[in-house]
């Protein structure tokens, strides 16, 4: 199905800000339909004969399984590449890789290090490129998180999300989402690990508030969420981070400070006893398994939207 023609109107999904609120409403509605069909064993195969290349320069469980299973369910197929088993690991320029790979497939998903790298790939790609996580952003995860919130609690507009932990790719993406979808993020990070508005790529500080004390960030929140203390690529900082983050463990007191019906989310993988207590992640307010499963449903909707537009 791949074409050699340059597609003038291709859309990429490199960060959350790449779509409007209206487009998100469409993607979430389609995801709900696609999920319903999956649950009732009804085929949904709009991507027959389409191929996606998945490039992983970092480890993955959820992202790989959700994209790969999702693509097969929609009638397409995938090619899985890693740094170690491709010429990417032998210094072939990213621009050359983009030109070659995008002549043979219909869609590319990349998990890599610097955002600049995925942007360089997209600039030389003939087909849509999806960010499967960079140092700066993880838009597919926040897509799943917000879809999960909507499923459990309705619209996220006007709600409060507490971010407890590192000012990392997940935190940056939450900030972008808040600006686009109209909710507020309460951010609490240790000193030295704050979010940086310019890295997060947001226009103003109107949609987030910074709290020194993670308990205060959780007060009144509709959703409490966190992530590992050390993201992939930052392992050399492990020991320093263990000390700095000791008080940024989501515990039952923090959940009690939030709304009585507050949800808990974590993109996973999680470290019980570090960024979250086992009683919270395995407790009644946690929706982490729905959140993980929803990666597949929202990404099927995303792939459909990028390849076929509004159906
Ligand atoms: N949450 C997430 O992206 O998980 P993986 O690293 O397993 O893909
Ligand atoms: N912030 C984490 C997310 C893992 C899914 C990382 O980048 O390693």
């Amino acid at each position: 199905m791949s074409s050699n023609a340059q597609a003038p109107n291709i859309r990429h999904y490199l960060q959350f800000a790449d779509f409007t609120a209206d487009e998100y409403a469409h993607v979430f509605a389609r995801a709900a339909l696609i999920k319903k069909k999956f649950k009732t064993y009804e085929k949904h195969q709009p991507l027959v004969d389409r191929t996606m290349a998945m490039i992983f320069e970092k480890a993955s469980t959820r992202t790989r399984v959700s994209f790969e299973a999702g693509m097969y369910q929609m009638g397409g197929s995938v090619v899985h590449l890693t740094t170690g088993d491709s010429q990417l690991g032998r210094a072939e320029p990213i621009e050359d890789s983009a030109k070659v790979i995008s002549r043979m497939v219909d869609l590319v998903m990349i998990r890599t290090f610097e955002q600049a790298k995925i942007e360089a790939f997209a600039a030389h790609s003939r087909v849509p490129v999806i960010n499967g996580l960079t140092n700066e952003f993880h838009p597919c995860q926040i897509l799943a998180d917000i879809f999960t919130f909507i499923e459990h609690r309705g619209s996220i507009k006007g709600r409060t999300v507490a971010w407890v932990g590192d000012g990392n790719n997940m935190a940056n993406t939450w900030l972008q989402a808040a600006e686009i979808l109209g909710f507020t993020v309460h951010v609490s990070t240790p000193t030295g690990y704050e979010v940086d508005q310019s890295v997060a790529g947001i226009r103003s500080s109107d949609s987030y508030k910074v709290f020194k004390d993670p308990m205060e960030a959780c007060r009144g929140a509709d959703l409490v969420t966190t992530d590992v203390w050390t993201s992939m690529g930052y392992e050399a900082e492990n020991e320093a981070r263990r000390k700095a983050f000791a008080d940024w463990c989501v515990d039952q007191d923090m959940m009690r400070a939030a709304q009585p019906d507050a949800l808990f989310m974590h993109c996973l993988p999680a470290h019980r006893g570090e960024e979250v207590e086992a009683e919270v992640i395995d407790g009644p307010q946690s929706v982490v398994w729905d959140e993980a499963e929803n990666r597949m449903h929202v990404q099927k909707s995303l792939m459909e939207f990028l390849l076929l537009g509004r159906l």
Side-chain angles (χ1 to χ4, degrees):
M1 187 62 86
S2 306
S3 154
N4 273 344
Q6 291 279 4
N9 295 319
I10 57 167
R11 297 278 302 270
H12 301 296
Y13 193 59
L14 306 183
Q15 48 186 299
F16 204 88
D18 286 343
F19 287 1
T20 63
D22 182 56
E23 287 168 335
Y24 279 114
H26 171 81
V27 168
F28 290 139
R30 287 295 294 180
L33 178 77
I34 289 167
K35 179 171 182 177
K36 193 166 164 240
K37 285 177 137 188
F38 176 78
K39 295 288 181 187
T40 53
Y41 300 97
E42 191 184 331
K43 275 191 181 172
H44 181 74
Q45 302 202 316
L47 302 185
V48 170
D49 289 342
R50 306 286 179 127
T51 307
M52 174 169 66
M54 306 197 301
I55 302 170
F56 284 97
E57 299 214 272
K58 292 175 177 172
S60 168
T61 297
R62 278 143 290 268
T63 303
R64 177 168 180 190
V65 176
S66 57
F67 270 111
E68 192 160 335
M71 193 57 173
Y72 287 131
Q73 288 161 21
M74 289 200 296
S77 55
V78 300
V79 177
H80 180 253
L81 296 164
T82 67
T83 314
D85 66 13
S86 69
Q87 301 292 4
L88 286 162
R90 298 181 63 253
E92 180 166 15
I94 195 84
E95 294 81 1
D96 293 3
S97 303
K99 286 177 191 168
V100 171
I101 293 168
S102 72
R103 281 182 179 233
M104 301 182 198
V105 302
D106 303 281
L107 187 60
V108 179
M109 188 244 59
I110 308 181
R111 167 167 288 194
T112 188
F113 293 87
E114 297 79 20
Q115 183 72 10
K117 212 166 167 183
I118 197 169
E119 280 170 6
F121 191 104
H124 294 87
S125 173
R126 291 182 168 194
V127 301
V129 177
I130 297 173
N131 182 344
L133 181 147
T134 57
N135 290 349
E136 290 85 350
F137 299 116
H138 198 0
C140 293
Q141 184 66 53
I142 303 302
L143 198 61
D145 293 7
I146 293 173
F147 181 73
T148 307
F149 186 89
I150 295 168
E151 275 191 329
H152 285 267
R153 296 285 182 264
S155 173
I156 199 163
K157 193 170 183 165
R159 302 296 200 120
T160 299
V161 174
W163 177 263
V164 175
D166 194 12
N168 64 9
N169 43 11
M170 285 289 296
N172 289 336
T173 313
W174 272 115
L175 296 186
Q176 285 200 349
E179 197 160 74
I180 293 158
L181 299 179
F183 60 91
T184 302
V185 185
H186 286 181
V187 182
S188 181
T189 69
T191 304
Y193 300 93
E194 294 87 354
V195 286
D196 178 334
Q197 206 170 298
S198 64
V199 176
I202 52 171
R203 288 188 297 275
S204 77
S205 56
D206 292 352
S207 53
Y208 75 99
K209 288 187 194 137
V210 173
F211 295 81
K212 269 243 127 333
D213 181 350
M215 184 75 83
E216 290 310 310
C218 293
R219 212 166 286 292
D222 300 290
L223 166 63
V224 177
T225 185
T226 185
D227 189 8
V228 291
W229 289 344
T230 304
S231 285
M232 292 181 279
Y234 297 85
E235 289 79 5
E237 300 172 15
N238 220 354
E239 276 319 301
R241 284 171 173 267
R242 267 180 196 284
K243 290 190 189 106
F245 282 78
D247 293 334
W248 276 262
C249 171
V250 177
D251 59 19
Q252 289 176 300
D253 288 341
M254 290 185 198
M255 291 307 296
R256 275 191 281 271
Q259 293 288 353
D261 69 344
L263 299 174
F264 173 78
M265 290 190 198
H266 188 310
C267 62
L268 306 175
H271 300 90
R272 289 167 177 77
E274 291 189 11
E275 74 273 9
V276 60
E277 272 185 351
E279 290 75 8
V280 171
I281 192 167
D282 299 319
Q285 287 165 279
S286 173
V287 290
V288 296
W289 313 121
D290 289 346
E291 183 188 0
E293 178 192 324
N294 281 336
R295 287 290 302 278
M296 186 173 79
H297 306 303
V298 295
Q299 287 162 195
K300 285 167 76 177
S301 175
L302 172 67
M303 292 190 281
E304 183 190 83
F305 181 68
L306 287 173
L307 287 175
L308 305 175
R310 288 183 194 241
L311 294 181

